[in-house]
Amino acid sequence: MFKELDPILHSQLRLAVMSLLISVKEAEFTFIREKTNATAGNLSVQVQKLKDAGYIDVVKQFKDNYPQTTCKITEAGISAFEAYVKALQEYLKV
Amino acid sequence: MPQEEEHFSAHQSLAIIESMIQKAQNRFSENGTLYLLWGWVIFICCTFHYTLLTITQNQIWGNIWALTIVAVLYQFYFLFKKNKKKAVRTYTDDIISGVWSCFGIVMGIASFIMYKLGSWSLLYSFILLFYGIPTFLSGIIMRFKPLIIGGICCWILSIISVFVQTKEILLLLAPAVLSAWIIPGYLLKAKYNQQNG
């Protein structure tokens, strides 16, 4: 049914993360977790999959002695997201 | 957000995209602090300067404007703390920050030019003209009407200032900062508090 859709993006949580990141310049892991209502463990796994696909950049650093993970969408991520939305529009004939 | 990966429809996909984009954009990160800081600092400086100049006829009261240096220092401290706490950085934040940086640079260069060329009579007209630019643009970017109106008020006062080439020109700064920064600052604060509970 959705064979033409990018399997990396066609997952509820990964799609939610990409939709958030396409709207902002960069966001911390905690912000994404709060907005998606996902568990930290599940979100970590999905973020890693998006990173492996080259769709997002993940920067891990320390801020005030606490670990901080910042995510940012890449050019490849933007292109993939746009292609996904276009495929959806074609499917829905919007 | 369901955690398992299951098949979901195209309509559900669009709903997720729409909901997340709205969640990201609905944040209102501006709490009005810097608008209020600068609004009140300029308001106090111009009214004190005018009142004391009228009473004593002494130009020394122009030094009250040194208060702006304290405001600049506080602004750096405030922005440093705010950026440290920030969990998300939006394009809107960056654009607004760029607009206000331009304003600061232009104000600095314009003051230098007028000081060097001795055209102090033009200074207040240009200050009012410049106040309107970042205020109006911030209003457009944030879709916040009070700032747009405030920017327009500054431009009207800038035109009026051409006809007020006496020390009363100082008093034009008060309605300018009241309409451009103080009133919008309190409205931004109220909106921010309402959104963040």
Side-chain angles (χ1 to χ4, degrees):
Chain A
M1 181 179 173
F2 280 117
K3 274 177 190 164
E4 73 277 21
L5 292 175
D6 183 342
I8 297 288
L9 292 182
H10 197 60
S11 136
Q12 297 204 24
L13 186 50
R14 288 196 294 270
L15 182 60
V17 172
M18 289 293 282
S19 305
L20 266 183
L21 291 178
I22 200 127
S23 322
V24 300
K25 196 162 184 182
E26 58 183 34
E28 279 184 26
F29 186 86
T30 48
F31 175 84
I32 301 170
R33 200 181 67 190
E34 183 201 320
K35 296 296 175 192
T36 56
N37 289 326
T39 61
N42 190 27
L43 183 58
S44 285
V45 173
Q46 305 312 327
V47 161
Q48 188 58 47
K49 283 186 183 173
L50 289 169
K51 188 191 169 196
D52 292 342
Y55 290 176
I56 63 170
D57 278 332
V58 179
V59 177
K60 292 183 180 186
Q61 57 190 7
F62 277 89
K63 192 163 104 176
D64 294 334
N65 295 323
Y66 287 98
Q68 182 199 43
T69 305
T70 307
C71 304
K72 186 180 181 180
I73 198 162
T74 61
E75 286 296 324
I78 294 170
S79 303
F81 188 83
E82 284 171 353
Y84 181 86
V85 171
K86 202 172 174 191
L88 274 185
Q89 284 172 334
E90 277 169 19
Y91 177 79
L92 293 167
K93 297 191 171 40
V94 187
Chain B
M1 189 63 53
Q3 294 175 18
E4 68 277 11
E5 288 182 35
E6 78 273 19
H7 290 289
F8 57 105
S9 71
H11 286 286
Q12 282 172 306
S13 285
L14 279 182
I16 291 171
I17 294 169
E18 193 184 359
S19 136
M20 285 299 128
I21 290 176
Q22 265 187 358
K23 277 186 183 182
Q25 290 184 339
N26 276 352
R27 300 172 48 258
F28 205 73
S29 65
E30 181 54 68
N31 64 6
T33 304
L34 290 179
Y35 287 95
L36 289 173
L37 170 77
W38 280 104
W40 281 116
V41 165
I42 303 295
F43 188 90
I44 289 167
C45 288
C46 68
T47 47
F48 262 61
H49 188 184
Y50 175 78
T51 310
L52 295 169
L53 187 65
T54 307
I55 296 169
T56 66
Q57 305 294 324
N58 193 333
Q59 289 292 342
I60 200 166
W61 296 112
N63 291 330
I64 183 92
W65 290 96
L67 201 58
T68 55
I69 297 167
V70 180
V72 168
L73 294 176
Y74 178 78
Q75 179 174 346
F76 281 128
Y77 169 75
F78 175 82
L79 289 175
F80 176 73
K81 291 262 286 185
K82 191 181 175 189
N83 287 335
K84 259 180 116 178
K85 274 198 269 176
K86 232 178 195 177
V88 62
R89 208 172 132 199
T90 64
Y91 293 103
T92 307
D93 293 340
D94 278 12
I95 294 167
I96 290 177
S97 162
V99 165
W100 284 96
S101 299
C102 278
F103 166 70
I105 293 165
V106 167
M107 281 289 284
I109 295 173
S111 303
F112 171 73
I113 292 171
M114 285 169 213
Y115 168 73
K116 278 299 205 189
L117 300 179
S119 303
W120 284 104
S121 59
L122 284 177
L123 182 66
Y124 291 103
S125 301
F126 277 104
I127 283 178
L128 289 164
L129 188 63
F130 294 151
Y131 277 0
I133 299 170
T135 310
F136 184 87
L137 287 176
S138 297
I140 296 281
I141 296 162
M142 285 196 264
R143 280 172 284 178
F144 191 65
K145 252 188 196 152
L147 283 173
I148 298 174
I149 296 167
I152 294 169
C153 286
C154 288
W155 291 332
I156 293 169
L157 287 161
S158 172
I159 296 168
I160 294 171
S161 72
V162 174
F163 306 101
V164 190
Q165 287 299 312
T166 56
K167 70 175 186 304
E168 277 67 33
I169 199 168
L170 270 169
L171 289 178
L172 292 180
L173 291 175
V177 292
L178 199 67
S179 61
W181 299 344
I182 296 175
I183 294 170
Y186 281 116
L187 293 172
L188 283 167
K189 194 177 176 183
K191 194 173 175 182
Y192 180 86
N193 288 341
Q194 192 185 15
Q195 191 182 286
N196 294 281

